[in-house]
């Protein structure tokens, strides 16, 4: 019997409110990326959301008139058999856990965010063991498939998967570089295809080292534009506090919106503390937004992605994901910014560690384009965050309290060893249910 034609994609965390965006991306690209089956997988707690999102996905595909089958299941192993691509977009502990990641650090006067600092550490501790389990299942059930992870903290998760999983076809994806490119193209009034940015760094700590329009270096002009308060590039989930213009000009490198946590710690913390008091931390806002989105998704008349989804920070994630899948499938050899194994691309970061860099995407996966040394002005912070990610990954895999305490204390957003220990202990207790590696069941 001939093998089936077309692609089989499995999306784990398929009940996510972001799924309609992914489905829209697949529909748009159907001619170049003929998806035979899209399997949306979730867990028991996500059953209702999976049903709602799954039915919307089926209506979207019907409207598009393409022969893409959308299957819904709670049986992950059944779905993984024969997959070509597996995308992961899970949230262990759901949004209530994110609320704790944000509110507990703020209660102690430090930044609470789902990918940085104490919150990022705990999201990683909950998520990494689950992603490793998925990767091991893939090794058994679909060893040739690519694992494409969007789950945050994407940098730390990719680091852990690359180091500790026996499945090696792993790529981390984030919408941030795509988002920055779109914003800068708009600012310059040029087409996206004319713009090239040399991205390098880590996830949520990526830099634009050079910007070109049609091959001409326009970095200084872009920095000039970005240093004006009216031209701030940020995401829905990060307050647009404007950059100090002289600092940006002296640096001469494009920063990403998440750099604000490190270079504008005080201002961002003030914003977050305000939100903490009002009950409007990002997680709380997103929880309300999600409830509204699911109400919309339930409407049997709805058969497109509703524009309200663009209020989420992850807008354009589907472009990043679908472009990657299509380029591997079609051996496009185009350039995309991805989280991959460094393999010498950035000097001074271990070869086996994850970095976010421009890659050439081939049928054998993304190949990082050599960067060399990062500029001295940004290298220090990158090294510190890489150390944090490595120690945090080790803590997630081993369940070592000492490693978790070290990760927390060396994080630049945690200002003292005393606070680190207090926050760590409180968060371990609060997330106990989702941290079996730290609380093994007594027999
Ligand atoms: C940005 C980041 C994503 C993150 C999202 C959060 O887009 O790049 O990694 O998931 O923001 O958005 P949210 O709407 O959940 O706050």
């Amino acid at each position: 019997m001939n093998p089936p034609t077309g692609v089989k994609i499995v999306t784990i965390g398929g009940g996510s409110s972001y799924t309609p965006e992914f489905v829209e991306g697949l529909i748009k690209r159907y001619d170049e990326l003929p998806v035979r089956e899209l399997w949306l997988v979730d867990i028991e707690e996500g059953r209702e959301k999976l049903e709602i999102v799954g039915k919307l996905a089926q209506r979207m595909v019907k409207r598009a008139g393409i022969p893409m089958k959308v299957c819904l299941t709670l049986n992950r192993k059944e779905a993984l058999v024969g997959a070509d691509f597996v995308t992961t977009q899970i949230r262990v502990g759901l949004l209530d856990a994110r609320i704790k990641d944000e509110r507990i650090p703020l209660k102690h006067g430090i930044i609470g965010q789902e990918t940085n600092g104490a919150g990022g550490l705990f999201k990683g501790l909950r998520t990494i063991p689950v992603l490793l389990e998925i990767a091991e299942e893939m090794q058994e059930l679909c060893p040739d498939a690519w694992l494409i992870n969007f789950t945050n903290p994407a940098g730390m998760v990719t680091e852990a998967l690359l180091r500790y999983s026996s499945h090696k076809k792993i790529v981390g994806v984030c919408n941030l570089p795509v988002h920055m490119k779109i914003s800068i193209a708009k600012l310059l009034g040029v087409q996206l295809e004319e713009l090239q940015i040399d991205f390098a760094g880590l996830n949520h700590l990526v830099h634009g080292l050079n910007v070109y329009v049609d091959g001409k270096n326009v970095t200084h002009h872009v920095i000039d534009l970005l240093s004006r308060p009216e031209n701030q590039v940020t995401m829905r989930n990060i307050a647009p506090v404007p950059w100090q213009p002289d600092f940006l000009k002296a640096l001469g490198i494009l920063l990403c919106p998440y750099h604000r946590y490190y270079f504008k710690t005080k201002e961002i913390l003030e914003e977050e503390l305000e939100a903490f008091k009002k009950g409007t931390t990002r997680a709380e806002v997103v929880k309300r937004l999600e409830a509204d989105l699911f109400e919309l998704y339930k409407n049997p008349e709805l058969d497109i992605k509703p524009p309200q989804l663009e209020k989420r920070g992850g807008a354009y994630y589907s472009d990043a994901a679908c472009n990657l899948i299509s380029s591997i499938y079609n051996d496009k050899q185009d350039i995309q910014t991805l989280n991959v194994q460094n393999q010498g691309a950035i000097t001074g970061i271990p070869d086996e560690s994850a970095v976010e860099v421009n890659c050439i995407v081939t049928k054998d996966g993304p190949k990082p384009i050599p960067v060399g040394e990062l500029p001295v002005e940004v290298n220090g912070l990158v090294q510190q965050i890489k150390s944090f990610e490595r120690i945090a990954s080790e803590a997630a895999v081993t369940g070592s309290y000492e490693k978790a305490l070290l990760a927390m204390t060396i994080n630049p957003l945690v200002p003292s060893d005393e606070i680190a220990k207090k926050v760590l202990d409180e968060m371990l207790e609060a997330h106990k249910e989702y941290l079996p590696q730290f609380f093994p069941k007594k027999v």
Side-chain angles (χ1 to χ4, degrees):
M1 211 170 73
N2 289 331
T5 55
V7 179
K8 174 174 178 182
I9 299 181
V10 176
T11 297
I12 299 177
S16 159
S17 59
Y18 280 119
T19 297
E21 172 155 335
F22 185 52
V23 174
E24 184 191 64
L26 294 177
I27 291 173
K28 265 202 260 169
R29 291 170 182 79
Y30 187 77
D31 286 345
E32 62 175 63
L33 181 67
V35 178
R36 176 183 84 243
E37 287 168 29
L38 171 67
W39 285 69
L40 302 178
V41 183
D42 223 302
I43 54 172
E44 186 54 46
E45 290 94 311
R47 181 192 283 273
E48 198 194 335
K49 282 166 77 182
L50 179 68
E51 276 288 305
I52 297 170
V53 175
K55 286 197 176 129
L56 169 58
Q58 286 163 345
R59 293 194 297 272
M60 288 171 72
V61 166
K62 188 166 174 217
R63 176 194 165 111
I66 53 169
M68 179 171 113
K69 204 169 150 203
V70 179
C71 313
L72 316 182
T73 183
L74 301 184
N75 186 337
R76 191 164 79 197
K77 286 191 171 176
E78 170 199 37
L80 287 176
V81 176
D84 299 299
F85 295 92
V86 176
T87 67
T88 42
Q89 48 181 40
I90 62 172
R91 189 182 284 288
V92 180
L94 307 173
L95 277 169
D96 287 336
R98 178 171 173 185
I99 294 177
K100 292 179 189 166
D101 284 343
E102 295 183 0
R103 292 193 68 90
I104 297 174
L106 284 169
K107 197 172 96 187
H108 293 269
I110 63 174
I111 287 198
Q113 209 275 330
E114 67 161 344
T115 64
N116 290 276
L121 170 62
F122 269 83
K123 191 167 194 320
L125 297 180
R126 296 193 302 278
T127 307
I128 287 169
V130 182
L131 256 304
L132 280 169
E133 196 181 304
I134 294 170
E136 292 314 315
E137 287 176 8
M138 286 179 64
Q139 190 58 12
E140 185 194 329
L141 302 168
C142 51
D144 294 329
W146 282 94
L147 168 52
I148 298 177
N149 177 60
F150 315 120
T151 309
N152 271 324
M156 197 195 292
V157 168
T158 312
E159 178 77 24
L161 285 169
L162 291 172
R163 279 183 186 268
Y164 299 106
S165 159
S166 59
H167 189 78
K168 294 294 172 205
K169 295 175 97 174
I170 292 196
V171 191
V173 173
C174 183
N175 64 334
L176 177 57
V178 180
H179 186 283
M180 283 174 73
K181 223 174 147 184
I182 293 175
S183 310
I184 290 165
K186 267 193 207 145
L187 212 57
L188 289 169
V190 300
Q191 296 299 315
L192 211 50
E193 304 71 49
E194 299 170 90
L195 184 68
Q196 189 205 320
I197 304 182
D198 294 339
F199 282 112
L202 307 180
N203 180 240
H204 288 183
L205 197 69
V206 76
H207 311 85
L209 300 181
N210 288 297
V211 186
Y212 303 91
V213 172
D214 275 339
K216 183 169 168 250
N217 194 324
V218 296
T219 318
H220 291 299
H221 176 51
V222 172
I223 287 176
D224 238 22
L225 292 174
L226 289 175
S227 54
R228 298 184 199 158
E230 68 273 20
N231 289 340
Q232 299 304 306
V233 168
T234 190
M235 333 269 296
R236 295 271 187 192
N237 54 315
I238 304 177
V241 278
W243 288 105
Q244 210 294 320
D246 290 340
F247 164 60
L248 275 198
K249 286 180 193 160
L251 187 63
I253 293 168
L254 260 66
L255 297 176
C256 78
Y258 283 82
H259 276 98
R260 286 184 172 83
Y261 289 102
Y262 302 103
F263 296 135
K264 304 195 79 70
T265 317
K266 181 173 168 287
E267 292 82 352
I268 290 279
L269 183 59
E270 280 165 7
E271 297 267 342
E272 286 193 353
L273 287 171
E274 258 318 287
F276 175 82
K277 275 190 240 146
K278 293 195 277 193
T280 55
T281 59
R282 183 65 191 165
E284 289 161 301
V285 170
V286 165
K287 196 170 173 185
R288 292 191 270 271
L289 242 169
E290 282 239 322
D292 293 348
L293 280 172
F294 276 94
E295 279 312 306
L296 288 174
Y297 293 177
K298 277 183 195 163
N299 176 0
E301 303 295 312
L302 182 77
D303 56 6
I304 52 161
K305 175 193 87 177
Q308 287 88 333
L309 183 52
E310 275 153 31
K311 290 194 186 149
R312 294 294 306 274
Y316 310 124
Y317 102 101
S318 140
D319 279 333
C322 298
N323 287 345
L324 171 62
I325 296 175
S326 178
S327 291
I328 295 178
Y329 179 73
N330 293 301
D331 193 23
K332 278 195 187 167
Q333 315 214 1
D334 57 343
I335 295 178
Q336 297 182 25
T337 313
L338 299 162
N339 287 268
V340 294
Q341 199 163 47
N342 185 33
Q343 297 168 33
I346 299 182
T347 311
I349 292 188
D351 283 356
E352 59 278 22
S353 271
V355 288
E356 189 165 284
V357 284
N358 287 0
C359 298
I360 299 179
V361 186
T362 74
K363 63 178 180 353
D364 302 317
K367 310 286 172 204
I369 299 175
V371 175
E373 267 181 38
L374 288 175
V376 62
E377 297 85 347
V378 294
N379 189 31
L381 182 57
V382 168
Q383 294 291 345
Q384 196 178 354
I385 296 299
K386 182 44 72 187
S387 298
F388 163 71
E389 287 181 352
R390 286 178 60 185
I391 300 170
S393 305
E394 202 181 331
V397 172
T398 58
S400 154
Y401 178 86
E402 286 75 21
K403 294 286 173 196
L405 180 63
L406 283 173
M408 181 74 97
T409 314
I410 68 160
N411 190 285
L413 299 180
V414 180
S416 107
D417 56 354
E418 297 294 342
I419 296 181
K421 188 165 163 58
K422 263 195 207 132
V423 175
L424 179 73
D425 290 345
E426 189 170 337
M427 290 181 86
L428 277 172
E429 194 52 39
H431 290 298
K432 210 172 179 170
E433 195 188 335
Y434 301 105
L435 297 170
Q437 72 276 46
F438 288 90
F439 300 97
K441 282 208 179 86
K442 296 198 180 78
V443 272

